[in-house]
Amino acid sequence: MVRRRAPEKERREQILWAAFEVAARDGLAGLTVRAVAAEAQLSHALVLFHFGRKEHLLQELLGWLLATTSVFDVSEDVVGFPHALDRLYALLQQEMARLTHEPRHVRLFFEYWALGARHEPIRVRISAELERYRAAFRENMEELLLAEPATFAGITADGLAAVAVSLIQGCAMQAMNDPEHFDTDGYLVAARGIIGQLAAPVTPMNARNSSHS
Amino acid sequence: MVRRRAPEKERREQILWAAFEVAARDGLAGLTVRAVAAEAQLSHALVLFHFGRKEHLLQELLGWLLATTSVFDVSEDVVGFPHALDRLYALLQQEMARLTHEPRHVRLFFEYWALGARHEPIRVRISAELERYRAAFRENMEELLLAEPATFAGITADGLAAVAVSLIQGCAMQAMNDPEHFDTDGYLVAARGIIGQLAAPVTPMNARNSSHS
DNA sequence: TTTGTTATTGACCGCTTGGTCAATATAGGT
DNA sequence: ACCTATATTGACCAAGCGGTCAATAACAAA
């Protein structure tokens, strides 16, 4: 009926946003060309005109998701802390906060992860993103390892970074589908406590054996 | 063509197994009534005859998955160790091994988790399973907390159990889609190292400050 | 105004899906 | 052998899917 022409770039962004809305609401299973078109109030033929195939839309939505998600703005808030341990705390807390502020992005990421099992190009991109995620922690972990080489004999920075990523992913999985029953604060405290044991500077005050012997 | 009558229970199990094969191969998106029927070499009408609706098949497959998956046979191998920490090690290692021995079960569980976001009855069952999973660790964690209450001030057994579950889930997510690039052993060593810092019996040999001062 | 390019649409196609149903073959009790 | 139960099937249906295409409206350039 009412037709308004729009430049290609603008339309594509509009359609991608609509695709995200649909995927966030109905899951990737509900991401149909027609549903996206309805969300954007366009004809479904126009969506295919701009993206060629649904497959392209699916892949570009993943690109949009990875680009849009505010991953690891490590810069300002985190860098301030002098100690590596404090930066790790801040990093973890920041990521936990992101899980609760952008749950739809995180959830969609998990869905793409599952899709990646049977879809190689998507699997590759998801793996790369996870690797990028670990890399953001690795630097920090190397500092921790250097501080106390004897304690961490045999442990690699990669291993520790992977563990850090697990802490975030695992919290997301347990909390997202059951937010009122899962104690996110208790989780954060426990995670922080564990990390604290990792590399707390050894002084008489917090030395472990002060409570024994 | 060749028709053989089978008692209801037998047929249902046959169909459920076929459903698992299909879901493991093609994902829940590929779990169609017809695909299951083809896998079981039956007509698709027969599948609907025994399960009524696809919805029922989907739910019963989840039940089958949770029942079949060899979760937490804590009994024999683990109970043997006298120290809580060793039992925790064994538990973690056992679960890690399960991830690699039953990857299809684990992957399907993740897919049900994602589906649970828009499907309440499934979400409820998944949440319950995760809770059950945490409970298996909680008992162990309480022992650790009792051993050194000062070190873990403010930390709850629930929080620690959730962290333990995260270690397993996170490892699965990072490793499953990228097994040759992810260092599972390094992960396990790191996780074990972290836990070791948690509550290792304090002796001159492994006391942390032995490398300092 | 005319012309040419392109964004947009509705109609259409072939295919797959979940689900129903009458017809039929099978087994067990008598 | 007959009869009743039910397990099993192929045919059918409406709905929704991705994708194609000719027709058309909007816009910029001439």
Side-chain angles (χ1 to χ4, degrees):
Chain A
M1 306 302 176
V2 180
R3 306 178 156 189
R4 245 183 30 210
R5 250 171 116 99
E8 169 154 350
K9 190 175 178 182
E10 202 175 307
R11 262 289 120 89
R12 285 176 68 93
E13 286 175 3
Q14 176 195 3
I15 293 174
L16 278 177
W17 174 255
F20 173 69
E21 285 292 321
V22 171
R25 189 199 320 124
D26 306 325
L28 287 182
L31 185 73
T32 70
V33 178
R34 288 173 150 87
V36 171
E39 178 72 29
Q41 292 184 326
L42 301 171
S43 72
H44 89 277
L46 189 59
V47 174
L48 287 165
F49 172 79
H50 281 287
F51 286 86
R53 293 188 258 141
K54 183 197 176 183
E55 169 75 19
H56 297 344
L57 178 61
L58 191 70
Q59 295 227 39
E60 293 213 38
L61 176 59
L62 176 55
W64 179 92
L65 180 70
L66 297 182
T68 302
T69 302
S70 57
V71 249
F72 279 126
D73 296 340
V74 193
S75 48
E76 302 157 11
D77 301 341
V78 176
V79 163
F81 299 99
H83 299 311
L85 203 60
D86 293 327
R87 286 200 295 278
L88 180 57
Y89 285 162
L91 221 54
L92 275 182
Q93 198 156 4
Q94 169 185 305
E95 287 304 298
M96 299 288 189
R98 189 168 68 81
L99 296 183
T100 56
H101 283 90
E102 294 182 322
R104 303 196 304 171
H105 294 242
V106 177
R107 192 162 248 142
L108 192 51
F109 180 83
F110 278 117
E111 261 195 279
Y112 269 105
W113 175 89
L115 186 59
R118 287 128 204 142
H119 193 305
E120 192 184 329
I122 285 183
R123 176 171 62 247
V124 168
R125 299 183 72 174
I126 293 288
S127 295
E129 180 69 11
L130 287 177
E131 170 58 30
R132 210 175 70 80
Y133 210 77
R134 281 191 294 268
F137 282 101
R138 190 174 299 126
E139 185 182 0
N140 218 294
M141 295 304 184
E142 280 165 356
E143 290 189 49
L144 291 182
L145 288 187
L146 283 176
E148 307 200 25
T151 315
F152 299 119
I155 298 181
T156 65
D158 290 88
L160 286 177
V163 168
V165 172
S166 285
L167 289 180
I168 293 165
Q169 288 180 335
C171 179
M173 275 205 62
Q174 294 175 69
M176 289 188 70
N177 278 0
D178 197 8
E180 69 278 353
H181 182 261
F182 184 80
D183 181 9
T184 309
D185 290 332
Y187 182 90
L188 199 59
V189 168
R192 187 169 174 139
I194 287 178
I195 296 171
Q197 299 299 315
L198 258 186
V202 177
T203 67
M205 216 177 67
N206 63 356
R208 180 122 39 100
N209 39 6
S210 62
S211 60
H212 296 262
S213 77
Chain B
M1 305 298 179
V2 180
R3 308 176 155 189
R4 246 182 31 212
R5 249 172 115 98
E8 169 154 351
K9 190 175 179 181
E10 203 174 305
R11 263 288 121 90
R12 286 176 66 94
E13 287 175 2
Q14 176 196 2
I15 293 174
L16 278 177
W17 173 254
F20 173 69
E21 284 292 321
V22 171
R25 189 199 319 123
D26 306 325
L28 287 182
L31 185 74
T32 69
V33 178
R34 286 174 152 88
V36 171
E39 177 74 28
Q41 292 182 325
L42 301 171
S43 70
H44 89 278
L46 189 59
V47 174
L48 287 164
F49 171 79
H50 281 287
F51 287 87
R53 294 188 257 141
K54 183 197 176 184
E55 168 76 19
H56 297 345
L57 177 61
L58 191 70
Q59 296 227 39
E60 294 213 38
L61 176 58
L62 175 56
W64 179 92
L65 180 70
L66 297 181
T68 302
T69 302
S70 56
V71 250
F72 279 125
D73 295 339
V74 194
S75 50
E76 301 158 14
D77 300 341
V78 176
V79 163
F81 300 99
H83 299 310
L85 204 60
D86 294 327
R87 286 200 295 278
L88 180 56
Y89 286 161
L91 221 54
L92 274 182
Q93 201 156 2
Q94 169 185 305
E95 287 304 296
M96 299 288 190
R98 189 168 66 82
L99 296 184
T100 57
H101 283 89
E102 294 181 324
R104 303 196 303 170
H105 295 243
V106 177
R107 192 162 245 141
L108 193 51
F109 180 83
F110 279 118
E111 262 194 280
Y112 270 106
W113 176 89
L115 187 59
R118 287 130 204 140
H119 193 304
E120 192 183 329
I122 285 184
R123 176 171 62 248
V124 168
R125 299 183 71 172
I126 293 287
S127 295
E129 181 68 11
L130 287 178
E131 171 57 31
R132 209 176 70 82
Y133 210 76
R134 282 191 293 270
F137 283 102
R138 189 173 300 126
E139 184 182 2
N140 217 294
M141 295 304 182
E142 279 164 356
E143 290 189 47
L144 292 183
L145 288 186
L146 281 176
E148 308 199 23
T151 314
F152 300 119
I155 298 181
T156 65
D158 291 88
L160 285 177
V163 168
V165 172
S166 286
L167 289 180
I168 294 165
Q169 288 180 334
C171 179
M173 275 205 62
Q174 294 174 69
M176 289 188 71
N177 277 1
D178 197 8
E180 71 276 357
H181 182 261
F182 184 81
D183 180 10
T184 309
D185 291 332
Y187 182 90
L188 199 59
V189 169
R192 186 168 173 140
I194 286 178
I195 296 169
Q197 298 302 314
L198 258 187
V202 179
T203 68
M205 217 177 65
N206 63 357
R208 180 126 38 102
N209 38 5
S210 63
S211 60
H212 296 262
S213 75

